[in-house]
Amino acid sequence: MSLLLNFIIGIVAAIVGVIPPGFLNLAAAKISMSEGRKRGLLFSLGVSTTVFIQTYIALLFARYLDNHPDIVDMLQKVALGIFLCITIYFFFIAKDIRKENSRQTPKSKTNRFFSGMFLSVLNLLPLPYWVYISITFSTFGWFKFSQPELLLTVLASAMGTFLVFASYVWFFRPKESPKLLKLNMNYIIGTITAVISIITFFKILKNM
C-alpha cells in the first residue's frame, strides 16, 4: 500500500508542479512546432531526467529532515512565509502570462536531450518543492522514506513531468495557443500555493 501511495503522490505532485505554462514546457512546445515532435520529446526526456535526479536529491534531504522534527518545525514556518509571498506575487504582482511571451526558445544546435537537461538544471524549484511535498505527506502517514518507496516516487516524478511535457509537445499548436492561455495561469499557480499555505498553517497549529 505504501508503494502505491508514494507512486500516486509522486506522479500527481509532478503533474501539478509542471502543468502551468512555464519557460521549459513552452520551450518544448516551440521546439515541437519548429523542429518536429521527435526533438520536442527528446527535450522533454532531458528535462525529465534532470527532474529524476533533482527529486532523488530532494527526497534524501527530506528523509534526513524527517528524522529531525525540530528542524522540520522551523522549516514549516519558513515555508509558510515563502508560500504566502508566492501566493501574493501571483495574485497581485506577476504580469499576465496570457500576453505574448517575448522570451525566445534557445537556438542550441546540440542534442535536444542534453539541452533539456541543461536548462532544467537551472530550475532549482523542484528541490524545495519535493522536500515540502514529501515531508508534508509523511506527517499524515501517507509517504514513506524507505528505499523502495523513495525510488518509486522519484520514478513517478520523472514520469509525471514527461507526461505533461509530452502533452505540450503533442497538442500545442500556434492556432490553439490563445485557447491554452485563455485563463490567467498566474491565478491557478496562486491558488495552488494558497492551498499549500493553508495546509501548512493548520499543520503548524496542530504541532503547537
Side-chain angles (χ1 to χ4, degrees), residues 79-100:
L80 176 59
I82 292 174
F83 281 114
L84 284 174
C85 290
I86 293 175
T87 300
I88 293 171
Y89 172 79
F90 278 109
F91 271 118
F92 303 109
I93 302 175
K95 293 182 179 179
D96 191 340
I97 60 176
R98 289 173 294 182
K99 298 177 181 179
E100 184 176 358

